[in-house]
Amino acid sequence: MSIHLEDYPDLLDDLGEHAAQVLESAWQEATRAFSPAGLERYYLEGARSLHSLGRGTDLVAAFIQEAPGLAQELGEDAVAELLSASIRMYSKTSSAVITLVISTAPIAARRLGDHSLFEGYLRLLDSLLGQAPRGVRPMLEHLDELLSHLTLGGLRRWATWGAQAHRTDLEAQIEYFGLQSPESRSVFQKERRGTLFVDVQRRINLYLRSLWGRDFFMRPTSGDFESREGYRPYIQGFTLFLPDAFDDTDELSGLDLYRAAAAHAAAHMVHTRERQEEEAPRGIRGALVELFEDARVEGLTLAAFPGLGQIWKPLHTATPEDGDAPQPLLARTARALIDADYTDPHPFVNEARAAFARESDLERAGLAAELAEALAPAFPEKGYVNPKQIAPEVVYRDDNRYIWAVGREDEEEAEVLAAHGSGQERIYVTPMEMINTLDVPSAGDDAQQIMVLATEFFRDGEDTSINAQEGKEPISLPFHYHEWDYQMQLERPHWVTLLERRPPKGDLDEIDAINEKHKPLIARLKYLIEAIQPQGMQRLRRQPDGDELDVNALVEAQIDLRMNRQPDERIYTRNLRQERDLSVLVLLDLSESTNETVRGTDTSVVQLAREATTLLSGAISRIGDPFAIHGFNSDGRHDVEYFRFKDFDAPWDDTARARLAGMKGALSTRMGAAIRHATEQLRARGSQKKLMLVITDGEPSDTDVRDPQYLRFDARRAVEEAGRNGVHSFCMSLDPNADDYVERIFGNHYMVLDRVERLPEKLPMLYAGLTTR
């Protein structure tokens, strides 16, 4: 289907003579840059939307002229992002600035070279309009110069510095963002990077084609948008993601670093073909699999192209002086496997080198896994280690996610479907439609379409509703939350993905055993419960107004009148209903560390948390306060798992108890995202007082975060946001060393439990103290 401009006479009339002439002159270029659907949806309707803002024809003409170039650079979606950003900026700045944003968009797209980076650039402009509005125009006028030397991360740091330094000085903002002031040039020089990806992408493409005779798709990563070092290279699907800039080093130039990183990633795509038996196993064995797989693909590549050793070997700088900790030891081993001239006294390094040298066939499937299995017992570190946290820091090597993803494309697709529902279409019907239309009594997990009722219906003698029996239980759509970057003092929008998962059910006998074990404590809690429970109606006497007259006060008032004294006007009684308008959410840290046993006992931390939560739930249910029990863990910012063991409206019954019995610890602790999600649950409650009780055994941490302060500051920010939304947060920490960080997160609203085995006793007492204040 083709689109002709003559078919839109109404649009041409609306745009006015000047804009219509510009549209006619740019139409041929637009038809080449846009698809027919995009031409109508983004280009023509976009021009109409900007015209409806009423900011003059220059704005519309700029969009008509520049949108085709932007679409050619980054695609039609980038035009949609530009339109959305322009409309958001409508109320913040003048038409001239928005026109300049649109006019310079192709420059930003060409220099950034990636759709996600372009989105980040538009968010930066939107943020700057709130912080340094006078600086945006001069910055856009120098955008070509700025992005010729800075990555998006460098531009953001340069702009943020100026916005903070000249927050109230408007003239200084103009000089700084126009590159006129000395401090502006100084910060600009500091943020300049050696070699930008967009400047060498074509040369790297030709370089890889000359080696392997095939094309590789490459894109810049947005890692440097938030961190000066940027993310490590990685491979996803059929695309190589390389840092958007490399600084020159003492050994190699930025261009050679790109060649080294691209060649290593391409070697994986050429030589890593077999599926691993496990999916990214934890512990030292997983780290060794990645180490030997890197050495294997580089060995095969060096056999064909020996010259690559000149750019790979100088980037291995580990030496015996770095120490014998897991990370430097693995870095020394990586160097020994590629550099025959390197000598190292450590026995593990030499044993790994000898084992690898004995392999004559590097093409053999499963080689890396076999070597890792054989050498893992000889590695000095015997405790639990996370492969991502001890990976050797070799600047040109990727993060090895590719070797675990090969052969699992179908599984990843199934996980995406599961994350966005269950892969099943649920059709809501009436009871008669269900009875008359069903082909089979019930739908299984493999059904593509299932019929469910708008309301829950239970058959006679069944405890499970018809809807619950039909197909898979729906799983929540992803929730996206921001995260606080304390170094930049800015939020990372939509940075974390949280997914609610259905908790597995355990054995109810375990809950019964907990109640039997703590029977004496439950008896003591009975008196505590009676003291907390509402006492019904309370009559308040001598009130200035109320429900009825206070006879005693009336008599005293009459006496005062007869004695010529001023009577007390408080002659009413008021009946006050004693109610606890309170909602409580218990948020449990379910990270891997909770599986460890408490010192001096055979009980794990997660078992103690289960016992304490069981006792607390029983007590709260008898008091009558609405409460929920949720838990969380995480595996990087894209996978924060959230479990609902009991919700506010759900009873404390066998279903909730069974879910609590099946509670297990795994993965890491991204606390800030979980607190934000729990805050959203509490905000939906109509209670006057809202309490979030966080129980954790360690500080916030995650696999993709190396800075220990980063998640602490984010968790503190999440607690502050909860407080602004009327949610009171309190933390019970089971880490005896928590005093070093927990006060910075929760202020003085925390308790450190030195004797973890007393958790079942202390938690109900803590609840009583918090809810009777």
Side-chain angles (χ1 to χ4, degrees):
M1 180 186 73
S2 60
I3 293 181
H4 303 283
L5 189 58
E6 295 79 12
D7 298 334
Y8 296 87
D10 294 341
L11 174 64
L12 296 175
D13 292 339
D14 290 343
L15 295 181
E17 182 178 357
H18 174 60
Q21 291 176 352
V22 175
L23 181 59
E24 290 174 355
S25 63
W27 183 251
Q28 292 301 321
E29 183 184 1
T31 56
R32 292 192 296 267
F34 288 91
S35 66
L39 199 62
E40 181 176 10
R41 180 179 179 184
Y42 298 128
Y43 192 57
L44 296 179
E45 291 301 323
R48 191 196 301 272
S49 299
L50 292 176
H51 175 73
S52 66
L53 296 178
R55 291 296 188 95
T57 59
D58 290 343
L59 177 63
V60 182
F63 174 79
I64 293 171
Q65 287 179 318
E66 304 300 342
L70 178 60
Q72 286 180 333
E73 289 288 343
L74 297 180
E76 298 173 352
D77 290 342
V79 178
E81 290 291 340
L82 178 62
L83 278 170
S84 177
S86 300
I87 294 172
R88 284 199 308 271
M89 299 175 192
Y90 166 74
S91 61
K92 298 181 180 181
T93 188
S94 65
S95 173
V97 173
I98 300 178
T99 302
L100 199 54
V101 170
I102 294 174
S103 300
T104 56
I107 298 175
R110 185 173 62 254
R111 296 303 308 174
L112 296 173
D114 179 71
H115 183 237
S116 63
L117 291 176
F118 183 71
E119 289 180 351
Y121 162 75
L122 294 177
R123 289 196 298 269
L124 171 61
L125 293 183
D126 195 19
S127 174
L128 282 177
L129 285 174
Q131 300 180 62
R134 292 291 184 90
V136 174
R137 181 167 186 165
M139 186 185 82
L140 292 173
E141 292 172 348
H142 294 81
L143 189 64
D144 197 3
E145 179 183 359
L146 289 168
L147 290 181
S148 295
H149 301 285
L150 303 180
T151 64
L152 181 58
L155 179 67
R156 177 173 179 170
R157 287 186 293 273
W158 174 81
T160 303
W161 194 98
Q164 293 176 349
H166 307 296
R167 187 180 301 271
T168 58
D169 192 339
L170 301 182
E171 293 300 323
Q173 286 182 17
I174 296 174
E175 291 185 1
Y176 181 90
F177 285 92
L179 290 174
Q180 298 174 4
S181 63
E183 63 267 24
S184 174
R185 284 289 180 181
S186 175
V187 179
F188 175 74
Q189 291 297 329
K190 178 182 177 182
E191 296 296 340
R192 288 185 62 169
R193 304 300 297 267
T195 304
L196 302 185
F197 176 82
V198 293
D199 293 331
V200 298
Q201 180 177 5
R202 179 177 174 81
R203 279 191 281 179
I204 299 302
N205 263 321
L206 294 174
Y207 180 71
L208 295 182
R209 187 188 298 174
S210 67
L211 292 176
W212 279 284
R214 55 176 282 194
D215 287 323
F216 294 87
F217 297 100
M218 294 188 300
R219 288 177 59 188
T221 72
S222 57
D224 191 62
F225 178 75
E226 301 295 343
S227 166
R228 186 171 178 81
E229 290 76 17
Y231 289 149
R232 295 177 65 184
Y234 67 94
I235 308 168
Q236 188 166 325
F238 299 98
T239 305
L240 311 182
F241 289 85
L242 302 176
D244 50 4
F246 267 129
D247 286 328
D248 297 344
T249 67
D250 295 336
E251 295 81 14
L252 297 172
S253 66
L255 177 60
D256 285 334
L257 283 173
Y258 272 115
R259 287 173 176 158
H264 177 83
H268 271 304
M269 297 189 70
V270 172
H271 297 296
T272 299
R273 295 187 292 268
E274 70 274 12
R275 172 189 173 118
Q276 297 292 330
E277 293 183 3
E278 298 183 64
E279 188 176 356
R282 294 181 174 273
I284 191 60
R285 191 165 68 85
L288 290 177
V289 170
E290 297 179 358
L291 186 75
F292 285 116
E293 183 64 16
D294 282 337
R296 188 185 74 84
V297 299
E298 287 186 356
L300 290 169
T301 305
L302 288 172
F305 313 110
L308 285 174
Q310 298 177 13
I311 59 175
W312 279 344
K313 293 178 183 179
L315 297 175
H316 288 266
T317 58
T319 63
E321 287 73 19
D322 294 339
D324 296 339
Q327 187 175 42
L329 185 58
L330 287 174
R332 290 158 59 185
T333 307
R335 181 176 181 181
L337 295 179
I338 191 175
D339 188 355
D341 298 329
Y342 171 68
T343 59
D344 196 294
H346 200 284
F348 178 81
V349 175
N350 293 313
E351 185 176 354
R353 170 186 272 170
F356 187 75
R358 286 194 294 268
E359 298 294 336
S360 58
D361 183 12
L362 296 181
E363 291 280 7
R364 182 165 60 86
L367 172 62
E370 292 178 13
L371 290 173
E373 185 73 28
L375 289 168
F379 195 77
E381 179 65 41
K382 302 299 182 185
Y384 170 80
V385 293
N386 189 325
K388 295 182 181 180
Q389 294 179 346
I390 64 170
E393 293 185 355
V394 183
V395 66
Y396 72 90
R397 286 187 174 178
D398 61 275
D399 64 2
N400 279 317
R401 71 180 68 176
Y402 179 75
I403 71 174
W404 306 108
V406 170
R408 288 186 166 84
E409 290 81 4
D410 295 338
E411 295 178 6
E412 292 175 359
E413 182 179 354
E415 289 176 3
V416 172
L417 288 174
H420 290 78
S422 62
Q424 296 176 333
E425 183 182 3
R426 301 174 75 85
I427 304 172
Y428 288 88
V429 297
T430 65
M432 292 307 297
E433 287 176 326
M434 177 173 282
I435 293 172
N436 296 328
T437 315
L438 280 181
D439 296 327
V440 293
S442 61
D445 289 350
D446 56 347
Q448 295 182 353
Q449 288 186 339
I450 57 176
M451 291 184 176
V452 293
L453 299 174
T455 56
E456 296 293 316
F457 183 84
F458 295 82
R459 298 187 182 96
D460 292 338
E462 293 183 352
D463 297 327
T464 306
S465 68
I466 291 179
N467 289 352
Q469 298 175 19
E470 292 292 321
K472 296 180 180 178
E473 181 176 326
I475 302 175
S476 76
L477 293 174
F479 297 88
H480 301 287
Y481 290 100
H482 61 269
E483 206 164 68
W484 177 253
D485 187 338
Y486 77 99
Q487 292 181 328
M488 297 297 299
Q489 292 294 296
L490 293 171
E491 290 178 353
R492 298 177 170 185
H494 301 287
W495 188 251
V496 180
T497 301
L498 181 144
L499 189 66
E500 292 185 355
R501 298 186 183 274
R502 179 172 53 188
K505 293 183 179 179
D507 189 358
L508 277 173
D509 292 339
E510 189 169 350
I511 303 300
D512 295 334
I514 291 173
N515 291 327
E516 186 65 27
K517 174 183 176 182
H518 295 284
K519 187 176 288 186
L521 178 58
I522 293 175
R524 295 203 308 271
L525 289 175
K526 177 182 177 182
Y527 299 99
L528 179 66
I529 293 168
E530 292 176 353
I532 294 178
Q533 280 182 322
Q535 301 300 317
M537 300 294 294
Q538 182 182 4
R539 174 169 291 184
L540 302 178
R541 297 185 179 276
R542 296 185 180 278
Q543 300 297 310
D545 56 72
D547 304 307
E548 56 188 18
L549 292 170
D550 186 342
V551 177
N552 294 334
L554 276 174
V555 171
E556 292 180 10
Q558 286 295 325
I559 294 172
D560 289 336
L561 285 172
R562 294 190 177 223
M563 298 292 292
N564 293 323
R565 293 195 299 250
Q566 178 66 32
D568 191 344
E569 297 179 356
R570 296 175 298 173
I571 57 173
Y572 294 92
T573 62
R574 183 186 302 167
N575 297 322
L576 182 65
R577 184 182 296 275
Q578 292 284 77
E579 293 181 348
R580 287 166 57 86
D581 192 10
L582 169 71
S583 293
V584 181
L585 190 149
V586 181
L587 186 61
L588 301 171
D589 170 11
L590 299 178
S591 58
E592 178 71 30
S593 58
T594 59
N595 292 323
E596 299 175 359
T597 58
V598 179
R599 182 179 300 178
T601 69
D602 296 328
T603 308
S604 65
V605 175
V606 72
Q607 173 63 21
L608 288 173
R610 182 184 297 111
E611 294 179 12
T613 310
T614 299
L615 298 178
L616 178 64
S617 301
I620 298 178
S621 64
R622 287 191 289 273
I623 294 170
D625 293 337
F627 71 102
I629 304 171
H630 296 172
F632 72 96
N633 56 39
S634 64
D635 189 17
R637 68 183 179 93
H638 295 297
D639 189 15
V640 178
E641 298 180 339
Y642 195 89
F643 304 94
R644 294 172 177 262
F645 300 101
K646 180 195 174 301
D647 275 325
F648 290 104
D649 298 327
W652 175 242
D653 56 7
D654 288 346
T655 300
R657 292 185 180 94
R659 288 173 178 169
L660 208 58
M663 185 172 67
K664 296 179 181 178
L667 305 175
S668 300
T669 314
R670 207 174 196 104
M671 187 179 293
I675 290 176
R676 289 186 177 94
H677 193 64
T679 300
E680 291 301 314
Q681 316 308 312
L682 283 166
R683 283 184 63 189
R685 303 291 301 171
S687 305
Q688 182 179 2
K689 185 175 181 181
K690 305 176 181 70
L691 173 65
M692 183 193 310
L693 186 56
V694 182
I695 302 175
T696 179
D697 72 326
E699 63 180 312
S701 64
D702 210 342
T703 55
D704 58 349
V705 177
R706 294 182 180 272
D707 183 357
Q709 299 292 334
Y710 174 80
L711 289 179
R712 294 181 188 175
F713 279 90
D714 177 64
R716 184 177 73 177
R717 183 79 171 190
V719 170
E720 293 172 352
E721 293 168 3
R724 289 196 293 270
N725 287 291
V727 177
H728 302 278
S729 305
F730 193 96
C731 176
M732 175 175 275
S733 178
L734 312 181
D735 180 7
N737 300 316
D739 294 296
D740 297 336
Y741 58 85
V742 70
E743 185 176 5
R744 290 185 234 166
I745 298 175
F746 292 91
N748 58 353
H749 304 291
Y750 73 96
M751 171 191 289
V752 177
L753 195 60
D754 294 327
R755 296 180 59 188
V756 181
E757 62 271 18
R758 298 189 61 188
L759 176 62
E761 173 189 350
K762 289 289 186 180
L763 185 58
M765 303 297 181
L766 172 65
Y767 175 78
L770 291 174
T771 57
T772 54
R773 292 176 180 176

